[in-house]
Amino acid sequence: MSAADEILDVVDEHDRVVAQLPRGRVYAENLRHRCVFVRARDAEGRLFVHRRTPTKLVFPSLHDMFVGGVVGAGETYDDAALREAEEELGVSGLPRPEFLFKFLYDGGARGSWWSAVYEVRCELPVNPQVEEVAWHAFLTEEEVEDRLSDWEWVPDGLAAYERLRALRAGG
């Protein structure tokens, strides 16, 4: 099955399921769906940062400081976070990612999606999926901050990062 054929839950502004449709149609019609963002840290606390492949359906070739993706039909955010983190990092046996917060991302003409943000410690050697990740490194928080204005970042990941930074600054 291709990624476009994967069935997703279409949700309303309150994150209630209103339909189940193929991903290709959800994207083509900019229908609201669910996504997970997982901030992966290595044993030293550095963040996994990567550049997406040019073949990605959404935000090709942009940098991202989260791994993650869409939540499948009937899948929980928690299960999707673990599945996506293990798939994109190319590992198995990760601890369950810790839920941090959820927000409704507004992508303008691209639509909107409910976004659940998580964090996980990955002390295993990573072997990222070549279909998803063109380049990767573990960077310190300071190195990520230094690159915010230099690199082109996925806008939903950047929105999640800014919300996380504001949340942590507020207490």
Side-chain angles (χ1 to χ4, degrees), residues 46-113:
R46 297 174 302 177
L47 300 172
F48 180 83
V49 176
H50 66 283
R51 188 171 44 80
R52 296 162 63 89
T53 59
T55 57
K56 294 290 288 178
L57 288 174
V58 178
F59 309 131
S61 299
L62 300 186
H63 287 87
D64 201 347
M65 60 193 78
F66 295 93
V67 294
V70 296
V71 179
E75 188 177 30
T76 67
Y77 283 108
D78 289 351
D79 289 344
L82 179 59
R83 175 184 55 76
E84 287 285 348
E86 289 188 334
E87 283 177 8
E88 281 196 42
L89 295 170
V91 301
S92 60
L94 278 179
R96 188 162 284 278
E98 175 191 355
F99 174 77
L100 301 176
F101 61 93
K102 185 171 82 168
F103 71 103
L104 180 59
Y105 173 75
D106 182 357
R110 286 193 172 272
S112 67
W113 43 92

Side-chain angles (χ1 to χ4, degrees), residues 97-136:
E98 175 191 355
F99 174 77
L100 301 176
F101 61 93
K102 185 171 82 168
F103 71 103
L104 180 59
Y105 173 75
D106 182 357
R110 286 193 172 272
S112 67
W113 43 92
W114 278 101
S115 307
V117 180
Y118 291 79
E119 189 163 76
V120 70
R121 175 82 69 183
C122 179
E123 298 183 4
L124 304 165
V126 298
N127 185 24
Q129 282 183 314
V130 295
E131 303 84 15
E132 305 258 345
V133 177
W135 168 90
H136 74 279

